[in-house]
Amino acid sequence: LGRDANRDGRPERRTVLLSGLDLPHGVTVHEGFLYVGETSAVGRVPFDEATGELAGSYAHVITGLTPGGNHWSRPVRMGPDGWLYVHVGSSCNVCEEEHPWRATLLRARPDGSELAIHASGLRNSVGCDWSPWSGELFATDNGRDLLGDDFPPCELNRIEAGGCYGWPFVNGFNALDPDLGQGREDLLPRAIPPAHGFGAHTAPLGIRFLRHQQDPALA
């Protein structure tokens, strides 16, 4: 969508950049590339931000993201460290996943190399951002369903490299899941609790920290 230069509330132009993708959701731009998170892959294409036009061919840099299930979106963000972050939600409401990438935050080089799990136990983290005051990564997360109107809380998590955030065995502020938590008390000391709890079923789907125009370190 082109910018609304005449302020009539409508874009000046509409252009199809890419078509035929597999449920595209996440997009980000970094160093001349437009990245797209499809449900089964992440691709990129050379992109001219000044003109809003593609400058090359689209190609996948990450493949093998298991499609389908409850959470099909693949949000993507480029971190200040120059690494690409990809959220892969769970396939279910609550279950033990067969694929290790489900319910995780993945991290890779911009070309898709060195792909690895950055954090796990995240049921459906759709949005993330880096705090301007400390550079720490925060991500929202959607809690599970079918446990009543008030439990468990949805979450804002401070993401640590290698951190485990509990799902599907631990919910919210380290409460064992009534369906799958029995016998997994060993996770309680190491499951990282939320930095902030939202109301149950609020389903936070994004986060952006405000930046001061003159001083990006201020929020």
Side-chain angles (χ1 to χ4, degrees):
L1 299 179
R3 294 184 183 279
D4 179 16
N6 61 10
R7 298 179 179 273
D8 66 352
R10 297 179 180 180
E12 300 304 303
R13 60 182 174 81
R14 299 177 183 222
T15 304
V16 176
L17 292 178
L18 298 166
S19 61
L21 303 181
D22 185 11
L23 292 175
H25 175 84
V27 293
T28 193
V29 176
H30 177 72
E31 294 186 348
F33 283 95
L34 170 66
Y35 290 79
V36 182
E38 303 179 60
T39 193
S40 57
V42 176
R44 70 177 183 179
V45 59
F47 179 68
D48 188 331
E49 287 188 73
T51 64
E53 297 178 350
L54 302 184
S57 300
Y58 181 76
H60 287 150
V61 294
I62 296 174
T63 58
L65 304 181
T66 54
N70 285 18
H71 305 117
W72 57 265
S73 65
R74 302 291 178 259
V76 295
R77 289 292 306 277
M78 191 64 68
D81 55 4
W83 289 69
L84 180 65
Y85 291 78
V86 184
H87 298 274
V88 181
S90 68
S91 65
C92 59
N93 175 44
V94 58
C95 64
E96 294 190 55
E97 297 284 3
E98 295 182 4
H99 198 291
W101 290 353
R102 280 287 192 171
T104 70
L105 176 61
L106 303 177
R107 191 178 81 145
R109 295 288 187 185
D111 63 0
S113 62
E114 300 183 47
L115 179 66
I117 295 173
H118 188 67
S120 62
L122 297 163
R123 179 175 175 271
N124 189 38
S125 286
V126 182
C128 69
D129 198 12
W130 288 261
S131 71
W133 61 88
S134 67
E136 294 174 298
L137 175 60
F138 288 81
T140 57
D141 195 17
N142 299 168
R144 62 160 293 185
D145 297 315
L146 304 179
L147 293 180
D149 293 339
D150 303 315
F151 184 83
C154 290
E155 302 175 1
L156 176 65
N157 290 301
R158 182 184 294 107
I159 301 298
E160 301 176 10
C164 175
Y165 293 82
W167 187 89
F169 307 107
V170 178
N171 295 305
F173 294 90
N174 288 20
L176 287 173
D177 186 86
D179 294 326
L180 297 181
Q182 185 175 2
R184 299 312 307 267
E185 290 81 4
D186 60 304
L187 292 177
L188 293 176
R190 55 191 179 92
I192 301 174
H196 175 75
F198 300 104
H201 313 298
T202 53
L205 297 179
I207 178 175
R208 287 294 186 275
F209 289 107
L210 298 178
R211 269 88 172 168
H212 192 278
Q213 292 182 352
Q214 281 74 43
D215 188 350
L218 298 178

